[in-house]
Structure formats: C-alpha cells, structure tokens
Short mmCIF file of all heavy atoms in Angstrom, two decimals:
data_model
loop_
_atom_site.label_atom_id
_atom_site.label_comp_id
_atom_site.label_asym_id
_atom_site.label_seq_id
_atom_site.Cartn_x
_atom_site.Cartn_y
_atom_site.Cartn_z
N THR A 12 -32.18 10.69 12.33
CA THR A 12 -31.53 11.28 11.30
C THR A 12 -31.24 12.77 11.65
O THR A 12 -31.76 13.26 12.61
CB THR A 12 -32.36 11.25 10.03
OG1 THR A 12 -33.66 12.01 10.31
CG2 THR A 12 -32.84 9.96 9.62
N ALA A 13 -30.49 13.43 10.87
CA ALA A 13 -30.09 14.83 11.16
C ALA A 13 -31.31 15.70 10.98
O ALA A 13 -31.47 16.72 11.65
CB ALA A 13 -29.04 15.26 10.18
N TRP A 14 -32.26 15.36 10.01
CA TRP A 14 -33.51 16.15 9.81
C TRP A 14 -34.60 15.29 10.50
O TRP A 14 -35.13 14.34 9.96
CB TRP A 14 -33.71 16.27 8.37
CG TRP A 14 -32.87 17.31 7.63
CD1 TRP A 14 -31.79 17.85 8.24
CD2 TRP A 14 -33.07 17.82 6.36
NE1 TRP A 14 -31.27 18.72 7.28
CE2 TRP A 14 -32.02 18.70 6.20
CE3 TRP A 14 -34.00 17.52 5.36
CZ2 TRP A 14 -31.95 19.31 4.91
CZ3 TRP A 14 -33.82 18.21 4.22
CH2 TRP A 14 -32.77 19.09 3.95
N CYS A 15 -34.96 15.71 11.65
CA CYS A 15 -36.05 14.95 12.45
C CYS A 15 -37.04 15.99 12.84
O CYS A 15 -36.76 16.97 13.49
CB CYS A 15 -35.29 14.43 13.61
SG CYS A 15 -36.46 13.32 14.58
N LEU A 16 -38.36 15.65 12.49
CA LEU A 16 -39.44 16.53 12.86
C LEU A 16 -40.51 15.74 13.61
O LEU A 16 -40.65 14.55 13.25
CB LEU A 16 -40.06 17.25 11.63
CG LEU A 16 -39.19 18.23 10.82
CD1 LEU A 16 -39.91 18.55 9.53
CD2 LEU A 16 -38.92 19.42 11.70
N HIS A 17 -41.06 16.38 14.57
CA HIS A 17 -42.20 15.76 15.30
C HIS A 17 -43.51 16.43 14.96
O HIS A 17 -43.59 17.65 14.87
CB HIS A 17 -41.90 15.89 16.80
CG HIS A 17 -40.72 15.07 17.25
ND1 HIS A 17 -40.84 13.79 17.92
CD2 HIS A 17 -39.43 15.35 17.14
CE1 HIS A 17 -39.68 13.38 18.17
NE2 HIS A 17 -38.77 14.31 17.73
N VAL A 18 -44.55 15.56 14.88
CA VAL A 18 -45.93 16.03 14.57
C VAL A 18 -46.83 15.42 15.63
O VAL A 18 -46.69 14.29 15.94
CB VAL A 18 -46.35 15.54 13.13
CG1 VAL A 18 -47.78 15.92 12.99
CG2 VAL A 18 -45.48 16.17 12.11
N ALA A 19 -47.61 16.21 16.26
CA ALA A 19 -48.60 15.59 17.28
C ALA A 19 -49.93 16.35 17.12
O ALA A 19 -50.05 17.52 16.77
CB ALA A 19 -48.02 15.86 18.65
N PRO A 20 -51.06 15.63 17.55
CA PRO A 20 -52.39 16.24 17.53
C PRO A 20 -52.47 17.53 18.30
O PRO A 20 -53.24 18.44 17.96
CB PRO A 20 -53.27 15.15 18.05
CG PRO A 20 -52.54 13.82 17.85
CD PRO A 20 -51.04 14.21 17.97
N HIS A 21 -51.70 17.57 19.35
CA HIS A 21 -51.63 18.86 20.21
C HIS A 21 -50.67 19.82 19.79
O HIS A 21 -50.44 20.84 20.40
CB HIS A 21 -51.37 18.44 21.57
CG HIS A 21 -50.00 17.93 21.95
ND1 HIS A 21 -49.70 16.56 21.65
CD2 HIS A 21 -48.93 18.51 22.29
CE1 HIS A 21 -48.41 16.34 21.93
NE2 HIS A 21 -47.92 17.60 22.26
N GLY A 22 -49.97 19.55 18.58
CA GLY A 22 -48.99 20.43 18.07
C GLY A 22 -49.54 21.74 17.61
O GLY A 22 -50.70 22.03 17.63
N SER A 23 -48.58 22.71 17.21
CA SER A 23 -48.99 24.07 16.88
C SER A 23 -48.43 24.36 15.49
O SER A 23 -47.36 24.01 15.14
CB SER A 23 -48.45 25.04 17.87
OG SER A 23 -48.56 26.27 17.49
N PRO A 24 -49.23 25.19 14.69
CA PRO A 24 -48.74 25.69 13.43
C PRO A 24 -47.44 26.51 13.72
O PRO A 24 -46.69 26.68 12.85
CB PRO A 24 -49.80 26.56 12.93
CG PRO A 24 -51.07 26.07 13.52
CD PRO A 24 -50.64 25.59 14.88
N ALA A 25 -47.31 27.03 14.89
CA ALA A 25 -46.12 27.88 15.23
C ALA A 25 -45.00 26.94 15.75
O ALA A 25 -43.89 27.49 16.15
CB ALA A 25 -46.45 28.94 16.34
N GLY A 26 -45.20 25.67 15.91
CA GLY A 26 -44.16 24.72 16.39
C GLY A 26 -42.94 24.65 15.57
O GLY A 26 -43.00 25.09 14.37
N ASP A 27 -41.86 24.26 16.12
CA ASP A 27 -40.64 24.18 15.33
C ASP A 27 -40.23 22.68 14.94
O ASP A 27 -39.23 22.51 14.36
CB ASP A 27 -39.49 24.86 16.02
CG ASP A 27 -39.20 24.27 17.43
OD1 ASP A 27 -39.76 23.23 17.78
OD2 ASP A 27 -38.33 24.89 18.13
N GLY A 28 -41.17 21.71 15.27
CA GLY A 28 -40.92 20.34 14.97
C GLY A 28 -40.07 19.64 15.98
O GLY A 28 -39.75 18.45 15.73
N THR A 29 -39.70 20.15 17.05
CA THR A 29 -39.00 19.50 18.16
C THR A 29 -39.99 18.75 18.96
O THR A 29 -41.20 19.06 18.93
CB THR A 29 -38.27 20.47 19.00
OG1 THR A 29 -39.19 21.40 19.64
CG2 THR A 29 -37.18 21.26 18.22
N PRO A 30 -39.48 17.71 19.83
CA PRO A 30 -40.45 17.05 20.72
C PRO A 30 -41.26 17.93 21.58
O PRO A 30 -42.41 17.75 21.95
CB PRO A 30 -39.53 16.13 21.51
CG PRO A 30 -38.35 15.90 20.60
CD PRO A 30 -38.14 17.25 19.91
N ALA A 31 -40.61 19.07 22.13
CA ALA A 31 -41.21 20.06 22.99
C ALA A 31 -42.26 20.92 22.25
O ALA A 31 -43.14 21.42 22.88
CB ALA A 31 -40.17 20.84 23.69
N ARG A 32 -41.97 21.18 21.00
CA ARG A 32 -42.83 22.06 20.16
C ARG A 32 -43.24 21.51 18.81
O ARG A 32 -42.71 21.90 17.80
CB ARG A 32 -42.10 23.45 20.03
CG ARG A 32 -41.89 24.16 21.36
CD ARG A 32 -41.32 25.58 21.11
NE ARG A 32 -42.20 26.36 20.29
CZ ARG A 32 -41.77 27.20 19.32
NH1 ARG A 32 -40.54 27.35 19.08
NH2 ARG A 32 -42.67 27.96 18.62
N PRO A 33 -43.87 20.35 18.86
CA PRO A 33 -44.21 19.60 17.71
C PRO A 33 -45.15 20.41 16.66
O PRO A 33 -45.80 21.43 17.08
CB PRO A 33 -44.91 18.39 18.16
CG PRO A 33 -45.59 18.77 19.43
CD PRO A 33 -44.59 19.79 20.03
N LEU A 34 -45.11 20.12 15.45
CA LEU A 34 -45.96 20.70 14.41
C LEU A 34 -47.29 19.93 14.57
O LEU A 34 -47.43 18.98 15.24
CB LEU A 34 -45.38 20.44 13.04
CG LEU A 34 -43.93 21.01 12.75
CD1 LEU A 34 -43.43 20.37 11.43
CD2 LEU A 34 -44.03 22.48 12.64
N ALA A 35 -48.33 20.61 13.94
CA ALA A 35 -49.78 20.16 14.13
C ALA A 35 -50.11 19.22 13.05
O ALA A 35 -51.04 18.38 13.25
CB ALA A 35 -50.65 21.26 14.20
N THR A 36 -49.48 19.25 11.84
CA THR A 36 -49.96 18.36 10.73
C THR A 36 -48.70 17.83 9.99
O THR A 36 -47.62 18.35 9.96
CB THR A 36 -50.74 19.22 9.75
OG1 THR A 36 -49.99 20.15 9.12
CG2 THR A 36 -51.97 19.90 10.45
N VAL A 37 -49.03 16.70 9.25
CA VAL A 37 -48.03 16.07 8.39
C VAL A 37 -47.62 17.10 7.27
O VAL A 37 -46.52 17.16 6.85
CB VAL A 37 -48.53 14.78 7.87
CG1 VAL A 37 -47.62 14.20 6.75
CG2 VAL A 37 -48.80 13.81 8.96
N GLN A 38 -48.61 17.83 6.81
CA GLN A 38 -48.40 18.75 5.73
C GLN A 38 -47.33 19.88 6.23
O GLN A 38 -46.55 20.27 5.37
CB GLN A 38 -49.72 19.50 5.24
CG GLN A 38 -50.73 18.51 4.61
CD GLN A 38 -51.59 17.67 5.44
OE1 GLN A 38 -51.39 17.74 6.78
NE2 GLN A 38 -52.25 16.75 4.95
N GLN A 39 -47.43 20.28 7.41
CA GLN A 39 -46.53 21.26 7.95
C GLN A 39 -45.11 20.67 7.97
O GLN A 39 -44.16 21.33 7.68
CB GLN A 39 -46.87 21.77 9.37
CG GLN A 39 -48.08 22.62 9.40
CD GLN A 39 -48.41 22.93 10.84
OE1 GLN A 39 -48.59 22.08 11.66
NE2 GLN A 39 -48.54 24.29 11.08
N ALA A 40 -44.94 19.43 8.28
CA ALA A 40 -43.62 18.72 8.26
C ALA A 40 -43.16 18.70 6.82
O ALA A 40 -42.04 18.99 6.61
CB ALA A 40 -43.80 17.37 8.92
N ARG A 41 -43.99 18.33 5.90
CA ARG A 41 -43.63 18.25 4.48
C ARG A 41 -43.09 19.71 4.05
O ARG A 41 -42.08 19.80 3.39
CB ARG A 41 -44.86 17.86 3.71
CG ARG A 41 -44.45 17.87 2.13
CD ARG A 41 -45.73 18.00 1.34
NE ARG A 41 -46.52 19.21 1.65
CZ ARG A 41 -47.77 19.36 1.48
NH1 ARG A 41 -48.55 18.42 0.99
NH2 ARG A 41 -48.35 20.47 1.77
N ASP A 42 -43.83 20.66 4.40
CA ASP A 42 -43.46 22.05 3.98
C ASP A 42 -42.16 22.47 4.61
O ASP A 42 -41.42 23.15 3.98
CB ASP A 42 -44.64 23.01 4.31
CG ASP A 42 -45.88 22.75 3.48
OD1 ASP A 42 -45.83 22.01 2.48
OD2 ASP A 42 -46.93 23.34 3.83
N ALA A 43 -41.99 22.05 5.89
CA ALA A 43 -40.73 22.44 6.58
C ALA A 43 -39.47 21.79 5.91
O ALA A 43 -38.54 22.49 5.68
CB ALA A 43 -40.81 22.04 8.09
N LEU A 44 -39.67 20.52 5.46
CA LEU A 44 -38.59 19.87 4.83
C LEU A 44 -38.39 20.48 3.46
O LEU A 44 -37.27 20.64 2.99
CB LEU A 44 -38.86 18.41 4.61
CG LEU A 44 -38.91 17.60 5.95
CD1 LEU A 44 -39.41 16.17 5.78
CD2 LEU A 44 -37.57 17.64 6.60
N ARG A 45 -39.37 20.82 2.71
CA ARG A 45 -39.30 21.46 1.42
C ARG A 45 -38.59 22.86 1.57
O ARG A 45 -37.71 23.18 0.70
CB ARG A 45 -40.62 21.72 0.73
CG ARG A 45 -41.20 20.51 0.14
CD ARG A 45 -42.53 20.70 -0.43
NE ARG A 45 -43.14 19.56 -1.05
CZ ARG A 45 -44.36 19.40 -1.51
NH1 ARG A 45 -45.16 20.43 -1.46
NH2 ARG A 45 -44.79 18.31 -2.09
N THR A 46 -38.87 23.47 2.62
CA THR A 46 -38.27 24.82 2.80
C THR A 46 -36.75 24.73 3.03
O THR A 46 -36.02 25.50 2.40
CB THR A 46 -38.99 25.61 3.99
OG1 THR A 46 -40.31 25.76 3.70
CG2 THR A 46 -38.26 26.87 4.33
N ARG A 47 -36.35 23.74 3.78
CA ARG A 47 -35.02 23.46 4.03
C ARG A 47 -34.27 23.18 2.60
O ARG A 47 -33.14 23.69 2.37
CB ARG A 47 -34.72 22.28 4.98
CG ARG A 47 -35.06 22.57 6.43
CD ARG A 47 -34.74 21.41 7.29
NE ARG A 47 -35.22 21.64 8.59
CZ ARG A 47 -35.03 20.73 9.64
NH1 ARG A 47 -34.42 19.60 9.32
NH2 ARG A 47 -35.44 21.02 10.81
N ARG A 48 -34.90 22.33 1.91
CA ARG A 48 -34.29 21.88 0.63
C ARG A 48 -34.19 23.17 -0.29
O ARG A 48 -33.18 23.38 -1.02
CB ARG A 48 -35.02 20.78 -0.06
CG ARG A 48 -34.81 19.60 0.90
CD ARG A 48 -34.80 18.26 0.27
NE ARG A 48 -34.01 18.07 -0.85
CZ ARG A 48 -34.44 17.44 -1.99
NH1 ARG A 48 -35.58 16.76 -1.99
NH2 ARG A 48 -33.59 17.21 -2.95
N LEU A 49 -35.29 23.95 -0.45
CA LEU A 49 -35.28 25.09 -1.31
C LEU A 49 -34.37 26.24 -0.81
O LEU A 49 -33.84 26.98 -1.59
CB LEU A 49 -36.71 25.68 -1.39
CG LEU A 49 -37.78 24.82 -2.14
CD1 LEU A 49 -39.11 25.39 -1.94
CD2 LEU A 49 -37.32 24.69 -3.56
N GLY A 50 -34.07 26.15 0.49
CA GLY A 50 -32.98 27.13 1.03
C GLY A 50 -31.61 26.74 0.75
O GLY A 50 -30.71 27.38 1.14
N GLY A 51 -31.40 25.57 0.03
CA GLY A 51 -30.07 25.14 -0.34
C GLY A 51 -29.56 24.05 0.45
O GLY A 51 -28.46 23.52 0.25
N ALA A 52 -30.25 23.56 1.50
CA ALA A 52 -29.75 22.41 2.32
C ALA A 52 -29.82 21.15 1.48
O ALA A 52 -30.75 20.98 0.66
CB ALA A 52 -30.51 22.39 3.60
N THR A 53 -28.82 20.30 1.66
CA THR A 53 -28.79 18.95 1.11
C THR A 53 -29.28 17.93 2.06
O THR A 53 -28.98 18.06 3.19
CB THR A 53 -27.37 18.60 0.66
OG1 THR A 53 -26.89 19.64 -0.16
CG2 THR A 53 -27.36 17.32 -0.02
N LEU A 54 -30.16 17.04 1.59
CA LEU A 54 -30.81 16.09 2.51
C LEU A 54 -29.61 15.24 2.95
O LEU A 54 -28.76 14.76 2.17
CB LEU A 54 -31.73 15.19 1.64
CG LEU A 54 -32.59 14.18 2.36
CD1 LEU A 54 -33.55 14.90 3.31
CD2 LEU A 54 -33.36 13.37 1.35
N PRO A 55 -29.56 14.96 4.26
CA PRO A 55 -28.43 14.26 4.86
C PRO A 55 -28.43 12.76 4.46
O PRO A 55 -29.55 12.29 3.98
CB PRO A 55 -28.63 14.36 6.39
CG PRO A 55 -30.05 14.75 6.52
CD PRO A 55 -30.47 15.38 5.29
#
C-alpha cells in the first residue's frame, strides 16, 4: 500500500518505518499513522 510501515524488534524509536530504519513497536506504527491522518492526509 501507499502507507507502509515496518516494525522490528531491533527497530528504533527514531526509525522512520522503512525496511532499513524500522520502528520498534506496533504502538509507534499506530501513532505514525494517526499523525499522518491528523496532518490532513487521506488514507489511500
């Protein structure tokens, strides 16, 4: 999908959700998606 985030046990809170820089938790992914939507982006 257009909005694709990666989460990995070795991820980082500073990650951007890409395969090379995954997030550390599912909660971070949820928050990143919420931030996009609150910023005015429409879910693809």
Side-chain angles (χ1 to χ4, degrees):
T12 62
W14 286 9
C15 184
L16 294 172
H17 292 260
V18 177
H21 68 276
S23 166
D27 59 9
T29 61
R32 295 185 60 220
L34 299 167
T36 68
V37 174
Q38 291 81 3
Q39 287 177 310
R41 176 202 61 206
D42 293 346
L44 293 171
R45 283 182 179 168
T46 298
R47 287 183 186 182
R48 297 210 45 219
L49 290 173
T53 303
L54 191 64

